[in-house]
Amino acid sequence: MIVVIKAGTPEVEISRVCDELSTWGLTPEKIVGKHKVVVGLVGETAELDPYRIEEISPFIESVLRVEQPFKRASREYRHNEPSEVMIPTPNGDVYIGEHHPIVVTAGPCSVENEEMIVATALHAKKMGAKFLRGGAYKPRTSPYSFQGHGESALSLLAAAREASGLGIITEVMDTPDIDKIAEVADVLQIGARNMQNFSLLKQIGKQTKPVLLKRGMAATIDDWLMAAEYIMASGNAQVILCERGIRTFDSKYTRNVLDISSIPVLRRLTHLPIMIDPSHGTGWAHFVPKMALAAIAAGTDSLMIEVHPNPKKALSDGPQSLTFEQFGELMDQVKHMAAVVGRGEREPAMA
Ligand SMILES: O=C[C@H](O)[C@H](O)COP(=O)(O)O
Ligand SMILES: C=C(OP(=O)(O)O)C(=O)O
């Protein structure tokens, strides 16, 4: 349920409404949007009569039911206003959300050594990316495949952050690793394979860094939004949803099927920001640029692109990684497409 507060209502009156609703055994959450303040209500609201709530205060405009099972993640919960995630990085605060320029995250699948991760970070920065991606802990299909360098790769990510000023996005696979990864990462990634690891979701929701939640390869959009709900219900509302391709009957030409239609669907269902990963989505470097541009045209807020100094020698995901040169070309196209849809970098205002 949400309580829509009238414009211009004094703070003290909003607090009074929240205090009263707390005494009813509900958890009120004040959400300040660009146009409205709403109070989200979580708890046993099924039997509650909205008119009884409206009677609490003359400052209440309306009381609406949230019909979706994912309450906090639903678009209704913010009265149709998109949320944004703000991430402080050494190069400045980066916003990901519907009213902001397209943000690009780039980097290798795995952190292999200091030289390659720093070189990739510097190139990504030069081309306009805002985040460096790279796995220290790698979820691999085969136990015999390279599993990532683990903890020692975290200090290499820290070195790349320092050299480039880019924010770091890296995956957490296991609950005991959360704190040490959060010391280095600006955004914690939950990978496709862990999207429904509920104990991990609950723990990641208890820490304060933003979370990139990848869609499970066989997850419906409702499953995915319920996974986001787990994180939000544990206290962390800074969730970005990342579509990375789903499994279908046809895996002959692409590794996964990138569900571009999830973008407008998510827009309708949720206020959360969206990222698209065409690298895992297609599995082939050749297809990545077209799908990246299609994702911008369809309304994504951000992209995740795998880039490697020498994809042929990559320890993981080489075939889907762009070379530096290919990434530079793609970034030129991204800038054009972003401008076409009104999501280009804003020019600094003239003095
Ligand atoms: O991003 C890297 C993943 O670990 C990789 O895509 C897993 O794939 P694989 O282990 O099936 O090769
Ligand atoms: C493992 C990764 O991706 P996914 O979870 O989407 O397979 C990754 O981005 O490193």
Side-chain angles (χ1 to χ4, degrees):
M1 228 166 208
I2 61 163
V3 179
V4 184
I5 304 292
K6 286 183 183 162
T9 297
E11 271 306 305
V12 58
E13 294 298 339
I14 303 176
S15 302
R16 212 167 270 162
V17 169
C18 292
D19 291 347
E20 173 63 21
L21 291 167
S22 302
T23 68
W24 296 19
L26 301 168
T27 310
E29 288 179 351
K30 187 173 128 195
I31 302 158
V32 183
K34 275 205 170 62
H35 307 292
K36 289 260 172 215
V37 174
V38 301
V39 176
L41 289 180
V42 181
E44 291 302 317
T45 55
E47 302 297 319
L48 214 57
D49 181 351
Y51 294 113
R52 269 191 63 209
I53 300 180
E54 277 178 22
E55 280 164 6
I56 294 177
S57 161
F59 293 96
I60 294 177
E61 185 175 295
S62 55
V63 179
L64 307 168
R65 274 196 193 286
V66 175
E67 303 293 345
Q68 302 288 4
F70 38 89
K71 304 291 177 197
R72 290 172 164 97
S74 77
R75 188 105 189 163
E76 296 154 279
Y77 198 68
R78 288 179 59 92
H79 204 42
N80 208 21
E81 259 200 53
S83 56
E84 61 194 17
V85 172
M86 192 280 279
I87 306 134
T89 75
N91 289 333
D93 296 345
V94 181
Y95 288 84
I96 302 184
E98 217 174 304
H99 296 312
H100 295 281
I102 302 291
V103 170
V104 175
T105 295
C109 173
S110 308
V111 180
E112 297 175 6
N113 57 58
E114 181 161 352
E115 194 189 344
M116 67 82 76
I117 197 68
V118 171
T120 309
L122 292 174
H123 184 71
K125 159 82 172 49
K126 189 165 153 211
M127 294 302 138
K130 302 280 190 232
F131 292 95
L132 175 73
R133 61 143 291 138
Y137 301 87
K138 292 307 305 176
R140 301 307 304 270
T141 304
S142 164
Y144 309 117
S145 298
F146 175 59
Q147 304 284 307
H149 291 305
E151 196 167 346
S152 65
L154 296 177
S155 55
L156 306 186
L157 283 170
R161 186 178 191 271
E162 173 145 359
S164 65
L166 295 181
I168 300 292
I169 303 187
T170 194
E171 180 164 351
V172 177
M173 283 173 55
D174 209 359
T175 309
D177 298 330
I178 293 177
D179 290 346
K180 59 176 178 263
I181 296 177
E183 274 175 33
V184 170
D186 299 281
V187 177
L188 302 182
Q189 176 172 322
I190 299 290
R193 293 155 186 82
N194 268 317
M195 190 207 81
Q196 283 190 314
N197 179 340
F198 299 116
S199 48
L200 180 58
L201 297 179
K202 284 182 194 164
Q203 291 307 318
I204 215 90
K206 288 185 186 153
Q207 59 77 52
T208 53
K209 290 272 168 87
V211 179
L212 180 70
L213 178 65
K214 290 194 133 193
R215 180 180 183 178
M217 52 189 91
T220 65
I221 287 181
D222 281 355
D223 294 338
W224 188 14
L225 290 172
M226 289 310 277
E229 192 74 14
Y230 263 91
I231 300 169
M232 298 173 90
S234 298
N236 191 341
Q238 299 194 87
V239 178
I240 304 157
L241 299 166
C242 181
E243 160 65 37
R244 47 75 73 207
I246 48 175
R247 285 280 164 82
T248 72
F249 55 88
D250 193 350
S251 56
K252 190 167 164 194
Y253 300 106
T254 55
R255 183 179 183 186
N256 293 293
V257 172
L258 186 66
D259 183 5
I260 295 272
S261 65
S262 67
I263 302 168
V265 172
L266 289 173
R267 276 286 182 253
R268 180 171 283 196
L269 294 176
T270 179
H271 56 82
L272 295 173
I274 303 168
M275 186 177 283
I276 296 291
D277 170 356
S279 305
H280 288 85
T282 62
W284 296 103
H286 180 73
F287 298 135
V288 168
K290 290 272 186 291
M291 297 313 280
L293 300 181
I296 297 174
T300 189
D301 303 316
S302 51
L303 292 169
M304 173 173 269
I305 308 289
E306 284 195 338
V307 181
H308 191 285
N310 186 355
K312 286 199 179 80
K313 293 263 167 67
L315 297 182
S316 54
D317 283 355
Q320 68 193 37
S321 302
L322 302 189
T323 61
F324 283 7
E325 193 186 346
Q326 288 167 332
F327 180 65
E329 285 164 13
L330 172 59
M331 285 303 277
D332 281 344
Q333 296 169 355
V334 162
K335 280 169 203 153
H336 282 115
M337 183 58 99
V340 168
V341 298
R343 307 283 300 273
E345 256 332 309
R346 283 170 205 133
E347 296 294 330
M350 298 288 276

